[in-house]
């Protein structure tokens, strides 16, 4: 029964979303608001529960001052961060500058983690993987595939690196080699963007098909129920 | 696209409210004010009539709440507000911000208030700090107040009335000495005496002050000049004034009598009192009080002792004719001496008053001829020699002839001529001059256009009558015999002796003349470089001819509209010959064309018919129809495929290994797990991708459950953990149905805050370090990248390597493909096809349902591809057609 109820509600909301085909209407807006509101509400509840469970409750229940300091400092910094939400014109806005302390800490830690991870997890492995396909012991197809990967990677990088020199009257001068590399890099870039667009369409179609399959299942259930 | 005025997000044209913040969007269409056509919101100009749709003030539609509405709602208005001055009525009302005034300003405001109240009252002594502090006045102001208070206190010390600044006076002690003057200490002003309150005047001014009307007091002032004293002492009863009158003034006051009839003419018949003729030799008796220069002129008895200039003395021998309207008759022919004697005789009995100018004594007046139309014309008076020699030209400046062109001295100017008694006839223009034919205006070049210079010449008969001052001029003779020209004509005076310093300045090539300037132009010292630029004579003449022949266009606008020749067509500065113009900068044609287009657009008047936009507005009905058609194809086609496709039919017949190259590696990695091994499942997708990701996550979780692995659900998204827990619970339910022993209790790692930082913090924990496998289920590429990077960073130096498996949505697959090809990932699943392939490779039940879904998805892909191709063909054809029309 809960499954059927879920199917029915899901079908109704799906049809409300499909009503956008006829134009902006209140049904679509309501369905959209339902999705956004439920997501935001759930996220807020999770965040509050996380903070309460993970930090406030241990800080209140813990009697060890050192341990309390471990929980108190993050709570204090988080409270200062809340001040950033006030507009500058208000009275509290004048002390919103105190929120820059935890904000700076977050930005600094995040930048450090991101940089270190990007260096070891993305840059170096990707550089190694770019030329991995070009091996003497590899087959022709693998060699060709590796060559295409290498050429495509380099040409796209050079597309953004090599810029034409600006001349008077807005004329740009480029050499033949520069122009050819820029064109090749542009080709690979367009192909990559097209593949990303295709993936997005696939995801959308997949969601649509799955929704329709569930509607189909509901229809079958209704028909069978009616038939009984 | 419609931009939300609140959050700035772009919305579809048909949207009625913002998809981000929900604000009601303005009308999706803008109506043209001229033709009424509905245009898109983003249009600046109407598509139909090209009228301006958006006002220059802003692009926000008018139906949005304005500032006035916000004010009505109580929202504050931010802006500059000038402070207001408190009025008298607001004295009791505490001023807002009064406490916020700086001390110096509040002090001044207090001072101003107290000053108006206590002005004139006894003030504290200057220099009393306590007093100043108590009153709040600054020292410089207190000082002035003290001074004023002291002065005013002496007058009315008990009164506390206000005294305006005008009533306040300053003590002399407070004023500088130069302002006070030589004020004596005793002259202390008292408030009672108005005179005493005045500051002391200088003596010379006091001497002239008329404090009393008695002449005796006036005489006490010895500093008055004599002439002024004499005037002030004059009284109506005094008769000696008559003797003091100059003769010319006395004669003017004397009644006019007819020369023949000796009848005194009354005021009605008398003409206006003219100015008496110049009689320099007339020397009437002078009083002792007259100035010397006047006495010399008026004293006839002492004429021999007084040095008169020659030009002033000479006319005594040749009396000047009375050119005024009042000829003297016999006196005209009489000598001046006779006139002087007659006036002297009249001085005594004359009772004319100096002050009463205009009144004429009725008795003892010299006989004067009367002037009347019937009376005979008087004889012309004698002219001085220098004036007699003047020959009046017949033409005045401008060519208007006035007198006869007679080189000879006209008879009218002859002193002893007895002919032409009428002076009027003397100046009568001749017949030739009466035509008044204006001569042609002289040319500007080389001709001053003044003919009278050439006409005015001295006659040969009176060379000795040239005054000394004129004679003394150094007029050098012209080099060439010239026609009678110049001022002096043939009788050039002898050149004067110039001082040496002036002679040194005389140019070598030009004659040192003062009046007789040579008519020849003096060549200037032109430098050589300028000489080289001199145009050829032929060129100059040609240029001049060209300039003369250039039409002078009429003024197109302004007050001189339609008047030609206002400005010469020639340039003011001729360009030097041989100068090459600088080559213009080469401008591209596109820039020139653009500039010309702008110019044509700006020059077009508003009344001109505006061109109609070539772009056709999109048909809304067609757009809606196409949208519905596409939706019908997808939705109805998918539903139809679900309903109509037979059960056993499989459209996708590709092998799973070919479809999902990462599935076998994933299966192998999961099969290597032992019961109780810790597996971290990262659920990094939201509810929007839940349908697709659940198809991918469910078979994997079923396998993990079947292997009795210790599953820990974590997520950087708040809803991710709940989704993962729900999936895990469903997987356990399925395992229980399959009678599979479940594994250890599921651990809820919970929500990881901070994205990559939270992942790094979680992986650094000992429990995470003990994990054997990490499965990341992500719908966005960046979340997968975080996990890959942090796992590489956290487990790079770990003794036991951890395997990493990935399950991503179809939209993230192409972007994360570089990561999938590296050795960091052991097995991956991308989208629904890979999930179905995994099911098939695992031999999971209920494959047909998944296969049907995959077939319908494949059909939807075919439909999408077909629609894209059709749209591409249509756009190509329509684009070419539009290009042809634009070219046509």
């Amino acid at each position: 029964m809960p499954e059927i109820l879920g199917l029915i509600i899901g079908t109704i909301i799906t049809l409300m979303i499909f009503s956008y085909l006829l134009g902006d209407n209140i049904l679509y807006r309501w369905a959209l608001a339902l999705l956004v509101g439920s997501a935001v509400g759930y996220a807020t509840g999770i965040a509050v529960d996380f903070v309460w469970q993970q930090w406030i409750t241990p800080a209140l229940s813990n009697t060890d001052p050192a341990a309390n300091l471990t929980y108190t400092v993050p709570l204090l910094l988080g409270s200062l961060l809340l001040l950033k939400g006030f507009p500058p014109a208000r009275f509290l806005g004048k002390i919103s500058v105190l929120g820059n302390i935890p904000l700076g800490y977050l930005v600094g830690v995040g930048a450090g983690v991101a940089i270190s991870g990007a260096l070891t997890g993305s840059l170096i492995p990707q550089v190694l993987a770019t030329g991995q396909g070009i091996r003497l012991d590899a087959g022709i197809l693998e060699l060709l595939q590796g060559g295409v990967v290498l050429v495509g990677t380099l040409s796209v990088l050079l597309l953004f690196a090599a810029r034409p020199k600006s001349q008077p009257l807005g004329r740009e001068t480029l050499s033949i080699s520069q122009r050819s590399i820029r064109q090749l890099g542009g080709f690979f870039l367009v192909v990559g963007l097209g593949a990303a667009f295709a993936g997005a369409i696939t995801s959308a179609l997949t969601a649509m098909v799955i929704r329709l399959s569930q509607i189909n299942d509901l229809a079958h259930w209704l028909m069978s129920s009616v038939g009984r | 696209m419609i931009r939300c005025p609140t959050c700035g997000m772009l919305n579809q044209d048909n949207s009625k409210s913002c998809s981000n913040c929900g604000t009601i969007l303005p009308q999706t269409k803008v109506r043209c004010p001229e033709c009424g056509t509905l245009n898109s919101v983003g249009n600046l100009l109407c598509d139909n009539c090209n009228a301006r749709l958006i006002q220059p003030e802003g692009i926000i539609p008018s139906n949005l709440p304005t500032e006035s509405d916000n004010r009505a709602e109580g929202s504050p208005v931010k802006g500059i507000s000038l402070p207001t001055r408190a009025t008298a009525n607001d004295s009791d009302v505490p001023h807002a911000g009064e406490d916020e005034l700086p001390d110096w300003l509040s002090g001044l405001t207090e001072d101003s208030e107290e000053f108006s109240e206590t002005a004139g009252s006894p003030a504290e002594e200057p220099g009393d700090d306590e007093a100043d502090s108590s009153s709040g006045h600054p020292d410089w102001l207190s000082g002035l107040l003290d001074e004023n208070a002291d002065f005013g206190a002496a007058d009315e010390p008990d009164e506390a009335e206000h005294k305006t600044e005008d009533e306040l006076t300053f003590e002399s002690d407070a004023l500088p000495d130069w302002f006070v003057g030589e004020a004596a200490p005793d002259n202390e002003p008292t408030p009672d005496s108005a005179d005493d309150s005045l500051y002391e005047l200088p003596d010379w001014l006091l001497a002239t002050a008329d404090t009393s009307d008695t002449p005796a007091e006036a005489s006490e002032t010895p500093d008055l000049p004599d002439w002024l004293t004499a005037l002030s002492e004059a009284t109506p009863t005094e008769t000696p004034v008559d003797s003091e009158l100059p003769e010319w003034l006395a004669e003017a006051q004397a009644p006019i009598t007819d020369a023949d009839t000796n009848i005194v003419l009354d005021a009605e018949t008398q003409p206006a009192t003219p100015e008496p003729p110049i009689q320099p030799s007339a020397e009437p008796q002078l009083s002792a009080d007259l100035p010397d220069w006047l006495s010399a002129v008026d004293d006839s008895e002492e004429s021999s002792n007084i040095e008169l200039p020659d030009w002033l003395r000479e006319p005594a021998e040749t009396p000047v004719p009375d050119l005024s309207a009042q000829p003297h008759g016999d006196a005209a022919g009489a000598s001046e001496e006779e006139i002087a004697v007659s006036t002297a005789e009249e001085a005594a009995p004359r009772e004319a008053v100096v002050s009463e100018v205009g009144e004429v004594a009725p008795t003892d007046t010299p006989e004067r001829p009367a002037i009347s139309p019937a009376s005979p014309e008087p004889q012309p008076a004698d002219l001085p020699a220098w004036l007699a020699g003047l020959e009046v030209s017949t033409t005045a400046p401008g060519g208007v002839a006035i007198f006869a062109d007679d080189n000879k001295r006209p008879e009218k100017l002859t002193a002893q001529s007895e002919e032409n008694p009428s002076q009027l006839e003397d100046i009568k223009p001749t017949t030739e001059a009466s035509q008044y034919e204006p001569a042609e205006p002289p040319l500007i070049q080389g001709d001053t256009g003044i003919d009278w210079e050439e006409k005015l010449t001295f006659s040969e008969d009176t060379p000795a009558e040239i005054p000394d001052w004129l004679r003394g001029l150094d007029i050098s003779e012209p080099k060439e015999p010239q026609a009678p020209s110049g001022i002096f004509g043939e009788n050039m005076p002898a050149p004067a002796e110039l001082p040496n310093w002036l002679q040194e300045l005389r140019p070598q090539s030009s004659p040192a003349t003062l009046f007789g300037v040579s008519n020849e132009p003096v060549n200037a010292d032109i430098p050589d470089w300028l000489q080289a630029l001199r145009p050829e004579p032929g060129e100059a003449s040609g240029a001049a001819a060209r300039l003369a022949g250039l039409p002078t266009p009429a003024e197109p606008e302004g007050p001189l509209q339609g008047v030609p020749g206002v400005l010469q067509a020639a340039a003011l500065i001729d360009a030097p010959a041989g100068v090459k113009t600088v080559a213009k900068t080469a401008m591209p044609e596109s820039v020139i064309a653009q500039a010309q287009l702008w110019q044509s657009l700006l020059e077009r008047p508003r009344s001109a018919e505006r061109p109609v936009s070539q772009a056709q507005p999109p048909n809304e009905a067609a757009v809606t129809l196409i949208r519905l058609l596409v939706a019908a194809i997808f939705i109805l086609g998918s539903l139809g495929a679900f309903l109509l496709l037979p059960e056993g039919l499989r459209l996708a017949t590709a092998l799973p290994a070919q479809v999902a190259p990462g599935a076998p590696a994933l299966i192998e990695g999961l099969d290597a797990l032992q019961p109780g091994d810790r597996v971290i499942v990262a659920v990094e997708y939201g509810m929007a991708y839940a349908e697709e990701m659940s198809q991918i996550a469910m078979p994997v979780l079923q396998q993990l459950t079947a292997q009795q692995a210790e599953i820990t659900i974590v997520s950087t998204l708040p809803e991710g953990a709940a989704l993962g827990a729900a999936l895990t619970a469903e997987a356990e339910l399925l395992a229980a149905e399959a009678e599979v022993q479940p594994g250890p209790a599921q651990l809820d790692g919970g929500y990881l805050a901070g994205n990559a930082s939270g992942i790094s913090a979680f992986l650094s924990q000992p429990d995470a370090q003990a994990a054997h496998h990490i499965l990341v289920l992500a719908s966005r590429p960046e979340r997968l990248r975080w996990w890959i990077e942090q796992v590489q960073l956290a487990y790079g130096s770990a003794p036991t390597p951890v395997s990493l498996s990935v399950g991503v949505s179809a939209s993230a697959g192409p972007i994360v493909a570089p990561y999938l090809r590296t050795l960091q990932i052991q097995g991956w699943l991308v989208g629904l096809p890979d999930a179905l392939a995994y099911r098939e490779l695992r031999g999971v039940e209920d494959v047909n349902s998944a296969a049907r879904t995959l077939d319908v998805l494949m059909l939807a892909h075919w439909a999408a591809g077909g629609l894209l191709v059709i749209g591409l063909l249509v756009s190509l054809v329509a684009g070419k057609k539009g290009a042809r029309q634009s070219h046509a």
Side-chain angles (χ1 to χ4, degrees):
Chain A
M1 187 60 182
E3 296 177 358
I4 300 299
L5 187 61
L7 282 176
I8 294 172
I9 294 173
T11 302
I12 293 172
I13 295 176
T14 302
L15 294 176
M16 291 167 66
I17 295 295
F18 283 163
S19 67
Y20 189 74
L21 293 170
L22 302 176
D24 192 10
N25 55 78
I26 190 172
L27 295 177
Y28 170 76
R29 291 291 178 177
W30 188 82
L32 206 62
L34 182 63
L35 175 64
V36 174
S38 60
V40 172
Y42 186 80
T44 304
I46 292 294
V48 172
D49 181 75
F50 176 81
V51 172
W52 181 264
Q53 295 292 336
Q54 299 290 332
W55 298 101
I56 296 178
T57 302
L60 294 177
S61 60
N62 203 332
T63 58
D64 187 7
N68 280 339
L69 192 66
T70 305
Y71 296 105
T72 306
V73 172
L75 283 175
L76 179 63
L77 292 177
S79 302
L80 293 177
L81 193 60
L82 288 176
L83 298 177
K84 295 295 289 182
F86 292 97
R90 297 291 183 183
F91 173 73
L92 289 177
K94 295 181 180 180
I95 59 175
S96 65
V97 294
L98 295 176
N100 293 335
I101 300 172
L103 193 64
Y105 173 76
L106 287 175
V107 172
V109 172
V113 171
I115 291 173
S116 59
L119 188 64
T120 57
S122 295
L123 184 61
I124 294 175
Q126 293 299 320
V127 171
L128 294 175
T130 301
Q132 187 179 4
I134 301 177
R135 295 194 309 266
L136 295 177
D137 55 347
I140 296 177
L141 292 178
E142 291 180 0
L143 191 62
L144 185 60
Q145 186 178 5
V148 171
V149 170
L150 180 63
V151 171
T153 304
L154 293 177
S155 61
V156 172
L157 290 175
L158 290 175
L159 172 66
F160 296 101
R163 294 184 179 180
K165 297 179 181 179
S166 61
Q167 296 292 336
L169 301 178
R171 294 178 180 172
E172 299 179 352
T173 57
L174 284 175
S175 62
I176 297 176
S177 60
Q178 288 178 335
R179 265 182 260 161
S180 59
I181 290 175
R182 284 173 61 86
Q183 289 178 356
L184 187 63
F187 170 75
F188 278 100
L189 189 63
V190 169
V191 171
L193 293 175
F197 178 68
I201 290 179
T202 302
S203 295
L205 291 175
T206 302
M208 183 197 68
V209 167
I210 293 173
R211 281 281 91 215
L212 292 175
S213 67
Q214 292 183 355
I215 293 174
N216 182 39
D217 295 339
L218 178 63
H220 277 287
W221 179 82
L222 289 174
M223 290 170 61
S224 61
S225 299
V226 171
R228 293 178 191 171
Chain B
M1 302 295 289
I2 304 175
R3 186 175 293 277
C4 175
T6 303
C7 62
M9 184 171 180
L10 291 174
N11 298 274
Q12 297 293 334
D13 290 339
N14 297 328
S15 300
K16 295 184 180 180
S17 60
C18 178
S19 60
N20 185 27
C21 63
T23 305
I24 297 175
L25 297 175
Q27 55 184 2
T28 57
K29 296 294 181 182
V30 178
R31 188 174 293 276
C32 175
E34 295 190 4
C35 64
T37 305
L38 290 176
N39 299 275
S40 300
V41 176
N43 283 8
L44 182 64
L45 302 174
C46 178
D47 293 335
N48 186 26
C49 65
N50 212 26
R52 191 174 183 84
L53 300 177
I54 299 175
Q55 298 301 323
E57 287 77 15
I59 59 175
I60 299 177
S62 60
N63 60 350
L64 288 178
T66 60
E67 290 185 1
S68 59
D69 298 334
N70 292 332
R71 291 199 191 111
E73 295 174 356
S75 62
V77 177
K78 300 177 184 179
I80 300 174
S81 60
L82 297 176
T84 57
R85 182 183 285 275
T87 59
N89 298 329
D90 297 337
S91 59
D92 297 336
V93 177
H95 299 285
E98 191 176 19
D99 297 335
E100 298 179 356
L101 285 176
D103 298 337
W104 63 271
L105 186 62
S106 59
L108 286 179
T109 55
E110 295 176 358
D111 294 342
S112 62
E113 294 175 356
E114 296 180 1
F115 182 80
S116 60
E117 295 176 356
T118 61
S121 61
E124 298 80 1
E125 296 179 358
D128 189 352
D129 296 334
E130 295 181 355
D132 290 336
S133 61
S134 62
S135 64
H137 297 167
D139 297 337
W140 60 272
L141 189 62
S142 301
L144 291 179
L145 287 175
D146 296 338
E147 294 168 357
N148 300 331
D150 292 337
F151 183 78
D155 187 10
E156 296 176 349
D158 296 332
E159 294 184 359
E161 295 178 353
H162 299 285
K163 284 191 176 182
T164 60
E165 294 179 356
D166 297 335
E167 298 177 0
L168 295 174
T169 56
F170 295 92
E171 289 184 353
S172 60
D173 295 340
L175 294 172
D177 297 336
W178 60 268
F179 189 73
V180 176
E182 300 177 359
D186 297 333
N187 297 331
E188 294 182 358
T190 58
D192 296 331
S193 172
D195 296 337
D196 294 337
S197 64
L198 298 174
Y199 51 85
E200 293 184 357
L201 296 173
D203 298 336
W204 62 272
L205 194 60
L206 289 175
T208 57
D210 186 15
T211 55
S212 62
D213 297 335
T214 58
E217 295 181 358
S219 64
E220 294 178 355
T221 58
D223 295 335
L224 279 179
D226 300 336
W227 60 275
L228 191 60
T229 307
L231 290 177
S232 62
E233 293 177 353
T235 57
T237 57
E238 292 181 353
T239 56
V241 179
D242 294 339
S243 62
E244 300 174 3
L245 277 178
E247 182 179 355
W248 58 271
L249 188 59
E251 291 179 354
Q253 295 173 356
I256 301 173
T257 58
D258 191 355
D260 298 335
T261 60
N262 292 331
I263 296 173
V264 177
L265 302 175
D266 53 0
E268 295 179 354
T269 57
Q270 288 180 4
T273 305
E275 295 181 359
I278 299 174
Q279 299 178 358
S281 60
E283 298 173 351
Q285 292 181 353
L286 298 175
S287 64
D289 296 334
L290 286 177
D292 299 335
W293 63 272
L294 195 57
S295 303
V297 175
D298 205 13
D299 189 5
S300 60
E301 296 179 354
E302 300 178 358
S303 61
S304 60
N305 296 330
I306 296 174
E307 296 180 0
L308 286 176
D310 298 335
W311 65 273
L312 205 60
R313 191 181 305 122
E314 290 171 352
E317 300 172 356
T318 60
V320 178
D322 188 6
L323 297 178
S324 62
Q326 181 182 359
H328 293 282
D330 293 340
S335 62
E336 294 181 353
E337 293 179 354
E338 297 177 358
I339 295 172
V341 171
S342 63
T343 55
E345 293 176 351
E346 298 167 359
R350 186 173 296 172
E351 298 180 357
V353 179
V354 174
S355 59
E356 298 178 358
V357 177
E359 292 185 3
V360 180
T363 60
D364 298 334
T365 57
E367 297 180 350
R368 297 179 183 270
I371 298 177
S372 62
S375 62
E377 297 177 354
Q379 297 295 328
D382 294 336
L383 284 173
W386 65 275
L387 191 60
L390 288 177
E391 185 177 74
V392 183
S393 171
T394 58
T395 59
V400 180
I402 299 178
F403 304 102
D405 185 8
D406 191 359
N407 293 329
K408 298 181 180 178
R409 187 175 59 188
E411 295 178 350
K412 61 181 180 293
L413 295 179
T414 304
Q416 299 178 353
S417 170
E418 295 181 353
E419 298 177 355
N420 299 326
S422 172
Q423 292 184 352
L424 294 177
E425 289 186 357
D426 293 336
I427 60 176
K428 179 176 63 177
T430 58
T431 57
E432 295 180 359
S434 62
Q435 293 179 358
Y436 289 93
E437 291 179 354
E440 293 181 357
L443 295 177
I444 298 176
Q445 298 179 356
D447 189 356
T448 58
I450 302 174
D451 296 336
W452 56 274
E453 283 184 353
E454 300 177 354
K455 305 294 182 180
L456 293 177
T457 58
F458 279 97
S459 62
E460 297 176 354
D461 298 335
T462 60
E465 297 177 350
I466 297 173
D468 295 338
W469 61 272
L470 195 61
R471 193 180 299 150
L473 293 176
D474 182 12
I475 302 174
S476 62
E477 296 181 355
K479 296 179 180 179
E480 299 176 2
Q482 297 177 351
S485 61
I487 299 175
F488 303 100
E490 295 177 356
N491 300 325
M492 294 293 292
E497 294 180 359
L498 290 176
N500 296 333
W501 63 272
L502 196 59
Q503 288 183 2
E504 293 175 0
L505 298 178
R506 179 187 303 179
Q508 299 297 329
S509 59
S510 61
T513 60
L514 189 60
F515 287 91
V517 180
S518 173
N519 292 330
E520 293 181 356
V522 179
N523 293 329
D525 188 12
I526 302 174
D528 296 337
W529 63 272
L530 197 59
Q531 292 278 2
L533 300 178
R534 184 194 296 272
E536 297 298 331
E539 293 181 2
S541 62
R546 287 196 300 272
L547 291 177
L550 287 177
T552 57
E555 289 296 316
E557 59 184 3
L560 299 177
Q561 186 177 3
V563 177
V566 176
L567 292 176
Q568 295 297 332
L572 297 177
I573 300 175
D574 292 335
V579 175
K580 297 180 181 179
T581 58
V582 180
K584 295 182 180 179
T585 306
M587 297 293 293
E589 295 181 356
S590 61
V591 176
I592 295 174
Q594 189 177 7
Q596 290 175 351
L597 177 62
W598 276 112
Q599 186 177 4
S600 63
L601 290 175
L602 293 174
E603 290 176 351
R604 184 184 304 167
R606 290 185 62 86
S607 59
E609 191 173 329
R610 296 176 183 177
V612 180
S613 174
Q614 296 295 331
Q616 298 294 332
N619 191 353
E620 294 184 4
V623 171
T624 305
L625 183 63
I626 293 173
R627 189 187 304 163
L628 291 175
L629 182 63
V630 171
I633 291 173
F634 281 110
I635 296 174
L636 298 178
S638 300
L639 287 174
F642 275 116
L643 296 173
L644 300 178
L645 284 178
E647 290 289 335
L649 180 62
R650 291 288 302 273
L651 298 177
T653 58
L655 295 175
Q658 295 175 350
V659 173
L666 178 61
I667 294 173
E668 179 182 356
L670 295 179
D671 289 340
L673 294 175
Q674 298 299 324
D677 287 344
R678 185 168 293 173
V679 177
I680 299 173
V681 178
V683 182
E684 300 289 348
Y685 60 88
M687 289 185 287
Y689 289 90
E691 293 287 345
E692 182 184 5
M693 294 305 297
S694 62
Q695 298 290 329
I696 299 172
M698 186 57 67
V700 177
L701 288 176
Q702 286 182 350
Q703 182 177 359
L704 291 175
T705 305
Q707 290 185 314
Q708 300 177 351
E710 183 180 346
I711 299 173
T712 303
I713 305 297
V714 294
S715 175
T716 58
L717 295 173
E719 64 271 21
L723 291 171
L727 285 174
T728 306
E730 184 178 356
E732 289 177 354
L733 187 62
L734 292 175
E737 290 178 357
E739 298 179 354
V740 175
Q741 187 69 27
Q746 173 186 334
L747 298 178
D748 187 7
Y751 168 64
L752 302 179
N755 298 334
S757 303
I759 296 171
S760 176
F762 172 75
L763 294 177
S764 63
Q765 296 177 1
D767 294 338
Q769 288 289 326
H772 294 82
H773 192 85
I774 298 176
L775 174 64
V776 181
L777 303 171
S779 62
R780 304 289 296 272
E782 61 270 12
R783 296 188 183 276
L784 178 63
R785 179 170 54 84
W786 296 340
W787 277 99
I788 294 173
E789 292 174 356
Q790 297 307 319
V791 167
Q792 184 71 24
L793 198 63
Y795 295 95
S797 59
T800 55
V802 63
S803 58
L804 179 63
S805 299
V806 174
V808 293
S809 64
S811 61
I815 301 175
V816 300
Y819 291 98
L820 303 179
R821 300 291 179 179
T822 62
L823 300 177
Q824 301 170 286
I825 308 293
Q826 185 180 6
W828 67 87
L829 297 176
V830 180
L832 186 61
D834 289 2
L836 183 60
Y838 179 84
R839 284 171 182 264
E840 290 184 356
L841 291 175
R842 291 288 300 173
V844 178
E845 295 179 359
D846 193 15
V847 177
N848 292 330
S849 174
R852 177 68 63 85
T853 304
L854 188 59
D855 292 339
V856 174
L857 181 61
M858 187 182 69
L859 291 174
H861 277 89
W862 278 104
L867 291 173
L868 286 173
V869 171
I870 294 172
L872 179 63
L873 294 175
V874 171
S875 64
L876 285 175
V877 174
K880 286 186 178 179
K881 195 180 289 183
R884 278 197 221 119
Q885 288 179 357
S886 62
H887 284 296

